Amino acid sequence: MTRLSPETLALLPGDVARPTYDRGAMRAGVVHFGPGAFHRAHQAAAFDTLLAHDPRWGITGVSLHSQGVAQALGPQGGLYTLALLDRQTRYRVTGSIGQVLTGKAPQAILGAMAHADTRIISATVTEKGYCLGADGALDTTHPAIAADLTGAGNDSWVPQSFIGWLVCGLGARRRAGLPGLTVLSCDNLTDNGRKLEAATLALAQQVDPQTAAWIVDQVCFPNAMVDSITPATDDALRAQVAAATGLEDAWPIQREGFTQWVIEDRFAGERPALDLAGVTFAADVRPFEMAKLRLLNGAHSTLAYVGLGLGHETVAQAMQDAALARFVERLMREDIAPSVMAPPGLDLSRYIADVLARFANPAIRHLLSQIAWDGSQKLPYRLLGTVREALEAGRPITRLAVPIAAWLRFLERAARSGTAITDPLAADLLARASDWRAVLAMPAVFGTLGQDAQLFDAVAKAHAALAAGQLEPV
């Protein structure tokens, strides 16, 4: 079959959307770290819309640890197909990514970061890519950060962490006499911009104090929140896209039709007109972020760990389990919602109903096993903050303990069967998994919360209930 490329765009059926701008005139105003499915489904699609109005906002992708995206998109000239899964699936060929650089070309990455056209450095590197400790600050004992602290004194320093790359690239901009820019996190972290700013400054102050001072004066780190369910690409999607477009695409992307991107209105220099693509600029992102992280992501993780324990494979299948769907709705309405400060104009009850409807969308095949990745990094933001606030307010945590216990049982099953898990703490977690109390005692995950007697008792009861086939203690 003919491959998707700039030369074959004209072969697309008329109902497949494609770039309406001159890609030859596109300039890279954005350097993005982590050009995986989440980025290409959301931010890259928004910039694709903006490029029809302003050619200065193309994207240079940077994939530090994998060659896959570069190898897939290179022969396609950066083009890829986005399938929007709604009542009727729509297809859109996206052209905002001009090139994808890999960790094998460090000078090219540095050159892109220190280019005069670059006004935003953005990231979707997942929670673990920030190398933060349980307290949310930079973990200087993290192997990649420790390597950067040692290597930064050498002229041939090639950063090992995303934070190291920020310090190195921003330092190159400073020395070149270029203005500062905006560093935009799009990962699922509360206060993601502030955490990224603090981590970047913590490393810069140790390895390059002049650049640290310049960052304080010249660089902005706005908070941001992105929301849309993005299942992983599989061969079924590739076949579906090929049938719909008539062209082979090595790495198409899929997401639900709904999308939301809220960015704090705090930019160094020019702000891209992303409102043309439906982006919301807000004085404070935190209420939007809290609603999404706690209600949507917290419920997602609950469905993943409880659903996998019940033998379900996808979110939609788990939502067909009436008892589980009722449990998740009660968890959201009665246990999580009281900890969420609704942003202006957001009806939490309606938001919860919409989230549940999105979960039940039969067009989305979102694997629970994918959502279950990196539990040690996700649970502190998605569930444990809610637990802390509930304990402080004297609210019950009976249901909130269930997804925690389900995660502990997920680890137990993996250790017992010898199944690998995707988690930066995998070795330590699996070594302790036979005794859930040992996992609960890990400060790297639970901080001091694991020592709370009330949580311990609630998790013990939830663990026993799940083992007996019940969703919550009687």
Side-chain angles (χ1 to χ4, degrees), residues 275-302:
D275 45 330
L276 294 170
V279 173
T280 299
F281 294 103
D284 188 357
V285 172
R286 287 172 295 181
F288 296 93
E289 177 185 75
M290 192 68 70
K292 191 247 180 176
L293 275 170
R294 294 193 173 183
L295 286 168
L296 187 145
N297 293 130
H300 239 175
S301 287
T302 300

Side-chain angles (χ1 to χ4, degrees), residues 36-45 80 82 230 253-255 259:
F38 190 73
H39 167 68
R40 285 183 279 149
H42 303 280
Q43 300 88 46
Y80 62 93
L82 174 60
T230 308
I253 300 299
Q254 58 184 336
R255 69 163 168 81
T259 187

